[in-house]
Short mmCIF file of all heavy atoms in Angstrom, two decimals:
data_model
loop_
_atom_site.label_atom_id
_atom_site.label_comp_id
_atom_site.label_asym_id
_atom_site.label_seq_id
_atom_site.Cartn_x
_atom_site.Cartn_y
_atom_site.Cartn_z
N ASN W 92 11.81 -4.87 -13.59
CA ASN W 92 11.78 -5.52 -14.84
C ASN W 92 12.08 -4.55 -16.05
O ASN W 92 12.69 -4.93 -16.99
CB ASN W 92 10.41 -6.18 -15.14
CG ASN W 92 10.35 -7.52 -14.36
OD1 ASN W 92 11.22 -8.28 -14.38
ND2 ASN W 92 9.26 -7.77 -13.70
N VAL W 93 11.69 -3.31 -15.84
CA VAL W 93 12.08 -2.28 -16.83
C VAL W 93 13.61 -2.15 -16.90
O VAL W 93 14.28 -2.17 -17.95
CB VAL W 93 11.42 -0.88 -16.63
CG1 VAL W 93 12.00 0.15 -17.47
CG2 VAL W 93 9.82 -1.00 -16.86
N ILE W 94 14.22 -2.10 -15.69
CA ILE W 94 15.68 -1.97 -15.58
C ILE W 94 16.32 -3.26 -16.17
O ILE W 94 17.30 -3.22 -16.99
CB ILE W 94 16.15 -1.80 -14.11
CG1 ILE W 94 15.65 -0.47 -13.59
CG2 ILE W 94 17.76 -1.92 -14.01
CD1 ILE W 94 15.77 -0.24 -12.10
N ALA W 95 15.69 -4.43 -15.91
CA ALA W 95 16.31 -5.67 -16.35
C ALA W 95 16.28 -5.72 -17.95
O ALA W 95 17.24 -6.13 -18.58
CB ALA W 95 15.50 -6.92 -15.86
N ILE W 96 15.25 -5.22 -18.55
CA ILE W 96 15.07 -5.29 -19.94
C ILE W 96 15.95 -4.20 -20.62
O ILE W 96 16.47 -4.41 -21.70
CB ILE W 96 13.54 -5.18 -20.34
CG1 ILE W 96 12.86 -6.48 -19.79
CG2 ILE W 96 13.43 -5.05 -21.85
CD1 ILE W 96 11.45 -6.48 -19.86
N ILE W 97 16.19 -3.15 -19.95
CA ILE W 97 17.22 -2.15 -20.40
C ILE W 97 18.58 -2.83 -20.48
O ILE W 97 19.33 -2.70 -21.42
CB ILE W 97 17.21 -0.90 -19.57
CG1 ILE W 97 15.92 -0.10 -19.73
CG2 ILE W 97 18.45 0.03 -19.87
CD1 ILE W 97 15.80 1.15 -18.83
N LEU W 98 18.92 -3.54 -19.37
CA LEU W 98 20.26 -4.26 -19.31
C LEU W 98 20.37 -5.23 -20.48
O LEU W 98 21.38 -5.37 -21.23
CB LEU W 98 20.37 -4.95 -18.00
CG LEU W 98 20.75 -4.03 -16.83
CD1 LEU W 98 20.72 -4.81 -15.53
CD2 LEU W 98 22.13 -3.39 -17.00
N ILE W 99 19.30 -6.01 -20.67
CA ILE W 99 19.32 -7.00 -21.83
C ILE W 99 19.51 -6.31 -23.12
O ILE W 99 20.25 -6.73 -23.95
CB ILE W 99 17.98 -7.83 -21.72
CG1 ILE W 99 17.97 -8.70 -20.45
CG2 ILE W 99 17.76 -8.70 -23.01
CD1 ILE W 99 16.63 -9.28 -20.10
N THR W 100 18.83 -5.19 -23.29
CA THR W 100 18.97 -4.45 -24.57
C THR W 100 20.39 -3.90 -24.79
O THR W 100 20.99 -3.94 -25.89
CB THR W 100 17.92 -3.29 -24.62
OG1 THR W 100 16.67 -3.76 -24.25
CG2 THR W 100 17.87 -2.65 -26.03
N ILE W 101 21.01 -3.40 -23.64
CA ILE W 101 22.32 -3.04 -23.70
C ILE W 101 23.29 -4.16 -24.07
O ILE W 101 24.21 -4.04 -24.93
CB ILE W 101 22.84 -2.45 -22.32
CG1 ILE W 101 22.05 -1.14 -22.05
CG2 ILE W 101 24.34 -2.11 -22.31
CD1 ILE W 101 22.29 -0.49 -20.65
N GLY W 102 23.02 -5.36 -23.52
CA GLY W 102 23.77 -6.56 -23.81
C GLY W 102 23.77 -6.89 -25.33
O GLY W 102 24.75 -7.17 -25.95
N TRP W 103 22.53 -6.73 -25.85
CA TRP W 103 22.33 -7.02 -27.30
C TRP W 103 23.17 -6.00 -28.14
O TRP W 103 23.86 -6.46 -29.12
CB TRP W 103 20.85 -6.94 -27.64
CG TRP W 103 20.60 -6.95 -29.14
CD1 TRP W 103 20.30 -5.97 -29.97
CD2 TRP W 103 20.64 -8.12 -29.99
NE1 TRP W 103 20.25 -6.32 -31.27
CE2 TRP W 103 20.35 -7.67 -31.29
CE3 TRP W 103 20.94 -9.52 -29.77
CZ2 TRP W 103 20.35 -8.56 -32.41
CZ3 TRP W 103 20.90 -10.34 -30.87
CH2 TRP W 103 20.71 -9.98 -32.15
N SER W 104 23.13 -4.71 -27.77
CA SER W 104 23.78 -3.81 -28.56
C SER W 104 25.35 -3.93 -28.39
O SER W 104 26.08 -3.75 -29.34
CB SER W 104 23.23 -2.44 -28.25
OG SER W 104 24.18 -1.52 -27.78
N LYS W 105 25.78 -4.25 -27.21
CA LYS W 105 27.22 -4.50 -27.01
C LYS W 105 27.73 -5.73 -27.77
O LYS W 105 28.83 -5.60 -28.30
CB LYS W 105 27.51 -4.68 -25.48
CG LYS W 105 27.53 -3.40 -24.68
CD LYS W 105 28.17 -3.59 -23.37
CE LYS W 105 28.40 -2.29 -22.55
NZ LYS W 105 29.38 -1.38 -23.13
N HIS W 106 26.92 -6.76 -27.86
CA HIS W 106 27.24 -7.89 -28.61
C HIS W 106 27.39 -7.55 -30.09
O HIS W 106 28.32 -8.05 -30.86
CB HIS W 106 26.26 -9.08 -28.41
CG HIS W 106 25.65 -9.55 -29.61
ND1 HIS W 106 24.52 -8.96 -30.18
CD2 HIS W 106 25.95 -10.57 -30.46
CE1 HIS W 106 24.17 -9.65 -31.27
NE2 HIS W 106 25.04 -10.60 -31.55
N LYS W 107 26.57 -6.66 -30.58
CA LYS W 107 26.60 -6.27 -32.01
C LYS W 107 27.84 -5.48 -32.33
O LYS W 107 28.39 -5.60 -33.37
CB LYS W 107 25.33 -5.47 -32.38
CG LYS W 107 24.17 -6.41 -32.83
CD LYS W 107 23.00 -5.60 -33.09
CE LYS W 107 23.00 -4.89 -34.39
NZ LYS W 107 21.71 -4.13 -34.60
N LYS W 108 28.27 -4.66 -31.36
CA LYS W 108 29.36 -3.84 -31.58
C LYS W 108 30.69 -4.62 -31.47
O LYS W 108 31.77 -4.27 -32.03
CB LYS W 108 29.46 -2.62 -30.58
CG LYS W 108 28.45 -1.55 -31.04
CD LYS W 108 28.57 -0.29 -30.10
CE LYS W 108 27.38 0.54 -30.24
NZ LYS W 108 26.88 0.97 -28.92
N ALA W 109 30.70 -5.70 -30.60
CA ALA W 109 31.93 -6.51 -30.37
C ALA W 109 32.40 -7.16 -31.69
O ALA W 109 31.57 -7.65 -32.49
CB ALA W 109 31.65 -7.46 -29.32
N LEU W 110 33.68 -7.19 -31.90
CA LEU W 110 34.22 -7.80 -33.10
C LEU W 110 34.57 -9.23 -32.94
O LEU W 110 34.33 -10.00 -33.81
CB LEU W 110 35.42 -7.00 -33.57
CG LEU W 110 35.26 -5.53 -33.91
CD1 LEU W 110 36.48 -4.80 -34.18
CD2 LEU W 110 34.19 -5.31 -35.05
N GLU W 111 35.12 -9.63 -31.78
CA GLU W 111 35.46 -10.97 -31.53
C GLU W 111 34.30 -11.78 -30.91
O GLU W 111 33.57 -11.29 -30.06
CB GLU W 111 36.63 -11.06 -30.54
CG GLU W 111 37.91 -10.61 -31.15
CD GLU W 111 39.05 -10.62 -30.05
OE1 GLU W 111 39.26 -11.72 -29.60
OE2 GLU W 111 39.60 -9.61 -29.85
N GLY W 112 34.27 -13.05 -31.28
CA GLY W 112 33.18 -13.96 -30.80
C GLY W 112 33.20 -13.98 -29.24
O GLY W 112 32.09 -13.98 -28.62
N LYS W 113 34.41 -14.04 -28.64
CA LYS W 113 34.46 -14.20 -27.14
C LYS W 113 33.88 -12.98 -26.49
O LYS W 113 33.12 -13.07 -25.39
CB LYS W 113 35.84 -14.52 -26.66
CG LYS W 113 36.72 -13.34 -26.43
CD LYS W 113 38.04 -13.60 -25.76
CE LYS W 113 38.70 -12.30 -25.58
NZ LYS W 113 39.97 -12.06 -25.59
#
Side-chain angles (χ1 to χ4, degrees):
N92 282 317
V93 167
I94 295 170
I96 294 165
I97 290 174
L98 284 174
I99 291 166
T100 312
I101 293 174
W103 171 257
S104 125
K105 281 196 177 292
H106 121 276
K107 271 177 72 179
K108 285 189 198 130
L110 300 175
E111 287 178 58
K113 85 169 182 210

